[in-house]
Amino acid sequence: MVSERFDVGEGIAVLERTPAVLGTWLAGLPEAWVLADEGAETWSPLDIVGHLIDGEETDWIPRARIILAQGPDRRFVPFDRFRHLQERAIATLEERLERFATLRAANVETLRGWSLTAEQLALTGEHPEFGSVTLAQLLATWVAHDLDHVMQIARIMGKRYGEAAGPWRAYLRVLRS
């Protein structure tokens, strides 16, 4: 069933699990898995975790604060989707996973502590590309963003064995995408 209404509690249920899902899935894997990508100018699982960290630091909660403040300037600072690539060699995957988990726990605690009302979820901010967006849309996007990157990691990892799977590729969507 498709829902058109964002539910904060349901969103938090996904957001608070993402670090554990990624930690369980990726920590301790051989480098071939975590450094795999889909070709030039694509991201590896290591890069994706770095990108998620950037979102925790500069995107979701900072933008929600702008909306909730309802000040005279509700424009969001543009999000640098590629900032994490500058720090690629600085932190190991395990360090990134730990940082992501710490930041996400704090951000989920902040979100939960706001006890948002329907009226607050309808408040707007100004996205640099999309224009007026509601807090509910921002928060729903945060959840979908997590899920999108979980799918991306699965696709990247699946493609490593695309040829090795032989004829079974025909039955495995992760190898066809």
Side-chain angles (χ1 to χ4, degrees), residues 5-164:
R5 184 173 124 8
F6 176 72
D7 181 285
V8 176
E10 288 178 3
I12 286 174
V14 171
L15 293 172
E16 67 187 357
R17 285 169 172 75
T18 303
V21 167
L22 294 179
T24 298
W25 192 9
L26 300 174
L29 282 178
E31 279 193 355
W33 287 112
V34 299
L35 298 179
D37 59 35
E38 297 175 286
E41 298 185 27
T42 65
W43 297 350
S44 67
L46 174 77
D47 296 327
I48 293 165
V49 175
H51 172 74
L52 292 169
I53 289 169
D54 282 349
E56 295 304 304
E57 293 176 333
T58 66
D59 193 355
W60 311 111
I61 292 296
R63 288 179 171 187
R65 283 190 170 114
I66 289 169
I67 292 172
L68 290 169
Q70 287 296 286
D73 183 6
R74 289 183 251 157
R75 288 177 290 175
F76 299 159
V77 174
F79 178 69
D80 182 354
R81 293 182 21 223
F82 304 102
R83 184 182 86 140
H84 66 281
L85 297 176
Q86 299 166 8
E87 300 177 5
R88 190 168 201 235
I90 294 174
T92 66
L93 176 64
E94 282 71 17
E95 291 166 335
R96 286 178 181 213
L97 289 167
E98 184 177 323
R99 176 121 179 94
F100 176 53
T102 299
L103 291 167
R104 176 58 63 87
N107 284 342
V108 165
E109 183 177 327
T110 296
L111 178 58
R112 190 177 272 123
W114 284 336
S115 300
L116 296 168
T117 65
E119 292 76 22
Q120 288 172 308
L121 289 170
L123 295 174
T124 61
E126 289 295 319
H127 187 278
E129 182 178 349
F130 306 129
S132 183
V133 296
T134 67
L135 180 57
Q137 289 170 330
L138 174 71
L139 297 176
T141 301
W142 188 10
V143 175
H145 181 263
D146 273 21
L147 297 170
D148 192 59
H149 284 303
V150 168
M151 284 185 358
Q152 181 183 18
I153 290 169
R155 185 182 69 235
I156 292 164
M157 293 173 73
K159 284 183 177 180
R160 286 200 63 238
Y161 282 168
E163 293 300 317

